[in-house]
Amino acid sequence: MAKPDFIYVDGAMVPYAEATIHVASAAAKYGANVFEGICAYEGDSGRSFVFRLREHLVRLHNSVRMMQIECDYGDAAYSEAVLMSLRENRIRGDAHIRLTVFITGEGYADARGPASLVCIASPRDRGPREAAPLDGKAAHAAISTWRRIDDAIMPPRIKAGANYHNSRFGMLEARRNGYDEAIFLTLAGKVSEGANSCFAMLRDGILVTPPVTASILESVTRATLLELAAAELGLRVQEREIDRSELYLAEEAFFCGSGHEIRPVLSVDRFPLGDGGVGKVTRRLWESYEAVVRGRNASRTAWLTPV
Ligand code: PMP
């Protein structure tokens, strides 16, 4: 990801190198921050859109509330941070946006403020979009021996930076063992999600994904794809518990998230899924998603915020 010239910090655009926080802050000492990863897309008309900004801001608000961060900012400031970061850096093509509330105050793990609002918008160079966009990011996945954090330990449904220590263990283990991605199980041994994305699979032609009570982040992309799968592709969709052994029998599977969009899973624990390539339904879902984010689907433009 290319570095932007300026980063939004508490209402002002600051040169990249000067956007720093103190080593004594609770953010640095305890990972006390909450954030959103959001994408902007260049539409075919040449206009750019932020995808599902409203839903990301609702989740950020929920994260701030759950973490009891004393934060004076609200929706207006969050939106301004995102749009200002894109505009002032003159980013017109695709972009990844990281919107974070940090506890810059010192103190212990119970510090609640003051807080800073920071936004980093980075241009995203995808190369020629047409060239096998899905195949290039397809992954071989392994079940992690680490379990996903649980609602009774640190709630995965909110997007707190500290939750990603759990993701880190899974990712590093998967890479060490020659895989691309980890799939976490819940404490109860049911399928949860990936290190930085949700998980879905196709069984008997039904699109199945773990419920929001399976120690997952309440993902914007997951909700989007469930809706598109049912409404645009006419698929049956199920949110239900998934057993580990079902993964080995899936016809297709993929990870999904704002950054990954759709990342096909070719194998789980070296069991190839389907014919071992990117599945047909996965491809159709991706085409549907791509049409929506680029403003080509007139019935879904309410999900787009013009830059
Ligand atoms: N789970 C985790 C742990 C994630 O980090 C992400 C990426 N934000 C997701 C799921 C997908 O969430 P979203 O679709 O809202 O980006």
Side-chain angles (χ1 to χ4, degrees):
M1 211 93 71
K3 284 181 187 168
D5 294 332
F6 298 99
I7 291 178
Y8 174 102
V9 182
D10 294 324
M13 297 306 294
V14 174
Y16 189 94
E18 291 167 29
T20 55
I21 55 171
H22 202 276
V23 291
S25 64
K29 286 191 295 188
Y30 305 110
N33 69 75
V34 295
F35 69 102
E36 285 299 314
I38 308 169
C39 286
Y41 292 90
E42 184 179 10
D44 296 335
S45 58
R47 295 178 70 194
S48 300
F49 309 102
V50 182
F51 187 56
R52 303 205 75 171
L53 179 60
R54 200 173 313 123
E55 290 76 5
H56 281 285
L57 299 191
V58 167
R59 189 170 64 191
L60 185 65
H61 174 78
N62 291 345
S63 299
V64 164
R65 184 179 143 89
M66 183 96 73
M67 294 278 288
Q68 297 183 66
I69 298 173
E70 281 164 359
C71 175
D72 297 331
Y73 299 109
D75 276 0
Y78 296 154
S79 297
E80 179 198 68
V82 170
L83 297 173
M84 229 169 118
S85 304
L86 289 165
R87 289 175 188 151
E88 305 262 326
N89 285 297
R90 300 180 191 288
I91 300 174
R92 296 216 171 77
D94 292 1
H96 185 267
I97 301 145
R98 192 179 170 102
L99 182 64
T100 308
V101 176
F102 289 104
I103 299 184
T104 49
E106 300 181 12
Y108 297 100
D110 60 351
R112 295 184 54 195
S116 265
L117 177 64
V118 172
C119 187
I120 308 174
S122 310
R124 209 174 179 198
D125 181 16
R126 294 168 185 268
R129 244 185 250 146
E130 292 71 26
L134 269 187
D135 303 71
K137 56 184 172 185
H140 295 281
I143 306 293
S144 183
T145 64
W146 300 99
R147 293 294 169 98
R148 187 75 180 122
I149 45 172
D150 181 83
D151 197 56
I153 298 168
M154 44 201 298
R157 75 163 30 78
I158 59 164
K159 206 162 167 65
N163 289 0
Y164 287 80
H165 293 300
N166 179 233
S167 302
R168 177 185 171 85
F169 281 109
M171 288 162 90
L172 290 176
E173 179 190 51
R175 308 267 152 82
R176 220 167 40 237
N177 293 334
Y179 297 92
D180 305 309
E181 285 286 344
I183 298 173
F184 286 95
L185 302 180
T186 64
L187 290 182
K190 303 296 178 185
V191 174
S192 174
E193 63 176 349
N196 46 30
S197 48
C198 278
F199 176 86
M201 67 174 186
L202 203 73
R203 275 212 78 194
D204 300 326
I206 302 171
L207 186 70
V208 187
T209 191
V212 290
T213 47
S215 298
I216 68 170
L217 179 73
E218 292 190 339
S219 151
V220 175
T221 318
R222 174 184 171 282
T224 302
L225 292 175
L226 284 175
E227 190 161 338
L228 293 180
E232 311 268 332
L233 271 60
L235 284 179
R236 268 184 69 194
V237 299
Q238 281 179 353
E239 296 174 64
R240 66 157 174 85
E241 281 187 342
I242 297 178
D243 277 335
R244 174 179 188 158
S245 59
E246 289 189 272
L247 299 182
Y248 305 148
L249 304 175
E251 293 124 35
E252 300 183 23
F254 57 84
F255 293 108
C256 65
S258 300
H260 278 318
E261 299 158 335
I262 294 180
R263 185 170 193 196
V265 176
L266 301 181
S267 70
V268 179
D269 290 345
R270 303 286 177 220
F271 282 90
L273 306 190
D275 62 8
V278 175
K280 280 200 198 75
V281 172
T282 305
R283 219 179 273 286
R284 283 177 60 212
L285 251 183
W286 180 79
E287 282 160 8
S288 174
Y289 190 77
E290 177 77 358
V292 167
V293 298
R294 300 209 182 272
R296 271 188 253 130
N297 182 335
S299 63
R300 304 285 176 185
T301 49
W303 284 345
L304 309 176
T305 301
V307 178

